[in-house]
């Protein structure tokens, strides 16, 4: 089911951009989390990331985000601090099984919904990770605006 009134709102968010082969996404998530931990940062989560290109060549440009307690970090090492990270007017869908297989379907569902409701895609797709060891799920969100 599509949620037509979603958003992303966090304070004190650290982020870093990566370029990688789509099959390596789990390794990149692990690398990002390790880099966050190396800075002795207190995570308040959840991890989320944006896919900033259509990976026609199987290479993904993505930015990974983690809400943290601190409002600064000492050494940035290509990390960026956002004092406030907010995107309003998003449509979203939740996936909880076969995440890799169903992500492409979810993208199509969101794009079809926007087309049917005369909305433009205003942001890249965001993946907000949630759950625990027994049930993992992801919210896929995209900013949408009325057609001009």
């Amino acid at each position: 089911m599509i949620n037509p009134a979603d958003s992303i709102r966090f304070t004190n968010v650290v982020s870093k951009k990566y370029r990688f082969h789509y099959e390596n996404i789990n390794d990149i998530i692990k690398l990002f989390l390790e880099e966050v931990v190396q800075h002795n940062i207190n995570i308040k989560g959840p991890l989320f990331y944006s896919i900033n290109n259509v990976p026609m060549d199987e290479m993904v440009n993505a930015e990974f985000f983690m809400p943290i307690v601190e409002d600064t970090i000492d050494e940035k090492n290509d990390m960026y601090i956002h004092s406030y990270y907010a995107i309003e007017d998003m449509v979203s869908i939740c996936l909880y099984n076969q995440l890799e297989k169903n992500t492409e379907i979810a993208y199509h569902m969101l794009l079809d919904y926007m087309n049917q409701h005369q909305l433009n895609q205003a942001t890249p797709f965001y993946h907000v990770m949630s759950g625990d060891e027994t049930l993992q799920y992801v919210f896929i969100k995209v900013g949408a605006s009325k057609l001009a």
Side-chain angles (χ1 to χ4, degrees):
M1 173 177 267
I2 292 179
N3 178 356
D6 210 341
S7 63
I8 293 176
R9 295 184 195 125
F10 295 106
T11 57
N12 302 331
V13 177
V14 64
S15 72
K16 186 171 180 178
K17 294 179 181 178
Y18 296 88
R19 179 168 171 79
F20 55 93
H21 191 274
Y22 78 94
E23 291 178 340
N24 297 333
I25 190 160
N26 290 330
D27 295 334
I28 299 300
I29 290 172
K30 184 178 175 183
L31 176 65
F32 175 68
L33 292 174
E34 287 171 356
E35 290 183 45
V36 168
V37 169
Q38 288 173 0
H39 285 287
N40 294 319
I41 296 171
N42 294 300
I43 294 171
K44 63 182 179 184
L47 168 73
F48 63 102
Y49 61 92
S50 63
I51 302 296
N52 301 324
N53 69 321
V54 177
M56 301 301 280
D57 60 354
E58 300 183 351
M59 295 300 291
V60 176
N61 296 329
E63 186 167 6
F64 289 79
F65 302 86
M66 178 61 74
I68 61 173
V69 173
E70 295 80 6
D71 57 6
T72 61
I73 59 174
D74 292 333
E75 297 178 27
K76 291 190 178 168
N77 191 27
D78 297 330
M79 288 189 154
Y80 184 76
I81 292 285
H82 309 263
S83 60
Y84 193 73
Y85 197 89
I87 304 172
E88 303 297 329
D89 302 322
M90 300 184 91
V91 294
S92 67
I93 193 165
C94 183
L95 301 178
Y96 58 89
N97 69 11
Q98 299 180 345
L99 299 179
E100 289 182 30
K101 176 184 173 188
N102 290 330
T103 296
E104 188 175 341
I105 295 168
Y107 282 10
H108 284 289
M109 289 175 67
L110 291 168
L111 291 170
D112 287 346
Y113 176 89
M114 288 190 296
N115 187 42
Q116 291 168 5
H117 292 84
Q118 298 180 335
L119 299 170
N120 275 328
Q121 181 176 345
T123 69
F125 283 96
Y126 283 82
H127 296 232
V128 181
M129 312 300 287
S130 289
D132 58 25
E133 292 174 7
T134 60
L135 177 64
Q136 294 186 354
Y137 55 98
V138 62
F139 291 96
I140 298 180
K141 303 180 179 197
V142 64
S145 63
K146 289 282 185 193
L147 289 173

